[in-house]
């Protein structure tokens, strides 16, 4: 059974962050709040942990796991060269509900699924998540639900669906905006919207007029 930490209490939040970071370093899973929905997290650089995450969700390798980062500057370390359009979008909408797909650096020792050389990266607008990410580095994070079921908007819902697979649950309170992040593919000459979510396409086009959907 996962240990649950109420992050509204400063002492428990600190305990929870330490416990989650330790569990993730051991290759275990943690259920964490993000600015959209609750997520199930694994160390991005531990392939066995990512495999455990996919199995918990009953999800195949054909849907690679996105990566959350704690600082925008981390993006440069995950790709050989950050496309200018990705930089413009990150500056405008991070932290927030925008996921950017970029080509990852070939030197990275990770396996997030059948990503064909790309990685989907996001900087969440949530203090608990970012505090954890600053301790752990990049985490592979997917919505905390079994494949095909509704995403969890509370820690209790996340625990009900995936608690048996996680070592730690960080309870950051209910999520108000449960829309998933908007995903933009920045790997081609013309950026393309892959999924419309928390950020409207019109807002994106104010920054990148050439965007297609």
């Amino acid at each position: 059974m996962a240990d649950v930490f109420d992050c509204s209490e400063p002492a428990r939040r600190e305990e929870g962050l330490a416990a989650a970071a330790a569990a993730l370093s051991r290759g275990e899973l943690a259920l964490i709040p993000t600015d959209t929905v609750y997520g199930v997290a694994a160390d991005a650089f531990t392939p066995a942990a990512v495999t455990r995450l996919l199995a918990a969700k009953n999800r195949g390798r054909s849907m690679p796991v996105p990566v959350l980062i704690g600082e925008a500057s981390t993006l440069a370390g995950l790709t050989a060269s950050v496309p200018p359009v990705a930089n413009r979008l990150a500056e405008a909408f991070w932290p927030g509900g925008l996921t950017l797909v970029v080509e990852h650096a070939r030197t990275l020792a990770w396996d997030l699924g059948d990503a064909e050389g790309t990685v989907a990266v996001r900087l969440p607008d949530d203090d608990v998540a970012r505090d954890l990410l600053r301790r752990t580095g990049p985490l592979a994070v997917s919505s905390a639900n079994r494949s095909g079921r509704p995403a969890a908007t509370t820690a209790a819902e996340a625990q009900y669906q995936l608690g048996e697979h996680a070592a730690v649950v960080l309870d950051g309170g209910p999520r108000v905006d449960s829309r998933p992040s908007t995903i933009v593919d920045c790997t081609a000459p013309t950026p393309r919207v892959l999924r419309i979510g928390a950020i409207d396409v019109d807002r994106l086009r104010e920054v990148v007029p050439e965007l297609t959907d």
Side-chain angles (χ1 to χ4, degrees):
M1 181 64 70
D3 293 325
V4 181
F5 296 86
D6 181 355
C7 293
S8 67
E9 301 177 8
R12 289 292 285 168
R13 171 175 168 152
E14 181 61 28
E15 290 174 12
L17 289 169
L24 290 162
S25 72
R26 297 191 298 266
E28 297 178 293
L29 305 182
L31 303 181
I32 67 171
T34 77
D35 49 346
T36 54
V37 296
Y38 273 77
V40 53
D43 177 28
F45 298 100
T46 303
V50 176
T51 298
R52 188 173 296 117
L53 184 158
L54 290 170
K57 284 179 61 72
N58 193 29
R59 175 167 161 175
R61 289 177 50 83
S62 62
M63 297 179 67
V65 185
V67 168
L68 296 188
I69 56 178
E71 301 291 347
S73 58
T74 304
L75 179 63
L78 301 181
T79 179
S81 177
V82 181
V85 67
N87 270 328
R88 285 153 57 194
L89 289 168
E91 289 173 3
F93 299 106
W94 278 4
L98 177 66
T99 297
L100 301 175
V101 178
V102 296
E103 294 183 2
H104 70 72
R106 303 300 180 184
T107 55
L108 293 180
W110 62 13
D111 182 3
L112 302 169
D114 297 332
E116 300 180 350
T118 68
V119 60
V121 185
R122 189 163 81 85
L123 175 64
D125 189 12
D126 182 87
D127 288 342
V128 172
R130 291 184 68 185
D131 282 352
L132 178 62
L133 288 157
R134 291 186 185 108
R135 296 177 184 225
T136 62
L139 293 176
V141 181
S142 184
S143 57
N145 58 283
R146 296 278 288 177
S147 186
R149 295 183 182 176
T153 58
T154 67
E157 290 174 2
Q159 186 177 13
Y160 175 76
Q161 295 202 52
L162 296 180
E164 65 182 295
H165 302 283
V168 174
V169 180
L170 299 181
D171 186 348
R175 304 294 90 182
V176 176
D177 186 355
S178 61
R179 290 178 299 171
S181 64
T182 296
I183 302 176
V184 176
D185 184 351
C186 299
T187 62
T190 301
R192 182 166 61 97
V193 176
L194 301 182
R195 181 178 74 190
I196 298 173
I199 298 177
D200 296 334
V201 174
D202 288 345
R203 290 181 61 200
L204 297 173
R205 286 206 173 103
E206 292 175 1
V207 177
V208 182
E210 65 269 31
L211 189 76
T212 61
D213 57 5

